[in-house]
Amino acid sequence: MTRAWGPDDDAELRTAAMEWLARRTNDGADPLTTEEIKEFRFHGEPMPLMDMQRGIRKPAVLDAALSFRTVYRAEGAERPYEDAVGPDGLIRYKYRGTDPTHPENRALRSAMQRKLPLIWFFGVGPAIWLPTYPVYIVGEEPGQHQFVVDAVTNGAVTPQGALEETLKRYITVETRRRLHQPIFRATVMRAYETRCAVCALGHSQLLDAAHIVPDRDEAGVAAIRNGLALCKIHHAAFDTHILGVRPDLVVEIRADLLEEVDGPMLRHGLQGRHGQRLMVVPSARKERPDRHLLEISYETFRTASWPR
């Protein structure tokens, strides 16, 4: 097709793409590989949702960007462009280069001006992406070569002027819930091959990404070295100090639980894991649990579970 589509065509494509992503990602919980993203079809024809060479995707038939991406960064590495959260709680996405008239920057600006929903593909591993949608470009800061991204309010806010503190707190909390937590989960799941570290259960819907040290604590960074893939039973046991993980990756169960007599879940799921090493750890050493963070967590477990 040589002509640009009209607004109805544009809206239909965006709706179809986001509905397809919802089906393929368990409503945004699970990431997709580059090859899986290529499987999208619109009216029976291939329609790439992400540009494999550029950060911003604008199909030739559209007047505005359809998606943008943030590349995966291994622990300690730098991205070509570093995105950040601004003082208003909204996210900043860097220009392509520094030229505001670059075609990719113009494509995002057009989406901003027309208040169009976009897809944000965030790299959580090599060629593995977690899509967040819909997000909106709600402002531009040319002096910093960046756009302002709203992933929470469907583009209802604008960054001009100071936001009320209540709204700023809401946006900050909801951005963390909707964007940062899913990215942390997807990264941890990828590293643990979507299996519980304690019991090796492999069903995504029954797994969580647990923080070794809670993210409310100063040491509780939202990084893979502070994460464990745990099934929901073992996550709850870990958070309530029924289960602890020693710095040498050996599981311990609270002493009084070892003496209880109950059903098979207690016997096999908890008591049977006492004194056993984690069944699943990341293959990459730099992605394995941080020993110092495990020491902090294990000391909390000991304090909570040992007799005083």
Side-chain angles (χ1 to χ4, degrees):
M1 186 177 291
T2 57
R3 65 172 181 83
W5 290 352
D8 290 344
D9 302 303
D10 184 304
E12 184 183 1
L13 170 59
R14 292 174 195 271
T15 298
M18 294 180 195
E19 289 177 349
W20 182 83
L21 287 170
R23 293 192 300 271
R24 293 298 302 269
T25 65
N26 189 25
D27 282 332
D30 300 326
L32 295 172
T33 66
T34 298
E35 292 305 311
E36 288 170 332
I37 293 170
K38 290 179 181 178
E39 294 173 7
F40 176 70
R41 299 289 186 274
F42 185 61
H43 291 169
E45 297 296 325
M47 173 61 74
L49 295 181
M50 183 176 69
D51 196 310
M52 304 304 168
Q53 305 299 325
R54 302 176 179 85
I56 299 164
R57 165 71 173 148
K58 188 196 81 66
V61 293
L62 298 185
D63 294 326
L66 173 64
S67 72
F68 55 99
R69 66 177 184 167
T70 297
V71 299
Y72 170 65
R73 175 181 63 182
E75 192 75 26
E78 293 185 358
R79 294 190 181 94
Y81 300 93
E82 193 61 46
D83 309 315
V85 176
D88 50 13
L90 296 168
I91 300 163
R92 270 51 179 184
Y93 184 82
K94 289 296 184 181
Y95 281 0
R96 168 66 186 270
T98 59
D99 181 3
T101 67
H102 188 283
E104 292 180 42
N105 297 329
R106 293 206 313 268
L108 277 185
R109 189 175 300 113
S110 178
M112 175 186 70
Q113 293 167 345
R114 296 170 58 187
K115 297 180 169 53
L116 296 174
L118 296 112
I119 304 161
W120 189 354
F121 290 102
F122 200 100
V124 296
I128 304 175
W129 309 87
L130 183 71
T132 298
Y133 52 88
V135 300
Y136 292 82
I137 306 296
V138 295
E140 184 175 0
E141 295 171 338
Q144 290 75 45
H145 309 119
Q146 60 194 17
F147 292 99
V148 183
V149 181
D150 176 13
V152 174
T153 73
N154 288 329
V157 301
T158 56
Q160 284 81 20
L163 297 179
E164 294 182 5
E165 284 301 315
T166 301
L167 178 57
K168 186 188 303 183
R169 284 196 299 271
Y170 167 77
I171 291 172
T172 301
V173 169
E174 285 300 298
T175 297
R176 182 170 167 272
R177 181 191 66 81
R178 186 161 184 258
L179 185 64
H180 296 166
Q181 289 180 354
I183 288 170
F184 175 70
R185 180 188 187 277
T187 304
V188 170
M189 290 300 125
R190 187 265 308 157
Y192 284 80
E193 299 182 347
T194 318
R195 291 194 174 275
C196 175
V198 172
C199 68
L201 180 71
H203 293 271
S204 174
Q205 296 91 332
L206 299 177
L207 299 177
D208 295 329
H211 288 84
I212 296 171
V213 174
D215 56 356
R216 64 179 176 272
D217 293 356
E218 184 177 351
V221 293
I224 195 168
R225 57 191 170 83
N226 189 37
L228 289 169
L230 296 176
C231 68
K232 294 187 181 295
I233 290 293
H234 289 134
H235 188 186
F238 183 78
D239 283 353
T240 55
H241 312 304
I242 289 173
L243 179 152
V245 180
R246 296 190 333 218
D248 61 358
L249 305 184
V250 171
V251 175
E252 287 190 4
I253 302 299
R254 203 173 70 197
D256 61 309
L257 266 291
L258 293 174
E259 299 172 0
E260 265 189 43
V261 177
D262 202 344
M265 174 53 72
L266 176 63
R267 186 166 67 255
H268 300 295
L270 292 173
Q271 292 170 338
R273 298 308 305 150
H274 180 70
Q276 303 297 309
R277 287 183 62 82
L278 293 179
M279 295 185 71
V280 180
V281 294
S283 56
R285 286 189 174 276
K286 62 185 176 183
E287 295 185 337
R288 293 177 187 173
D290 182 274
R291 186 179 181 88
H292 174 64
L293 297 175
L294 285 173
E295 288 171 351
I296 295 173
S297 173
Y298 181 63
E299 182 58 31
T300 301
F301 166 77
R302 287 184 42 171
T303 302
S305 61
W306 284 27
R308 292 173 174 80

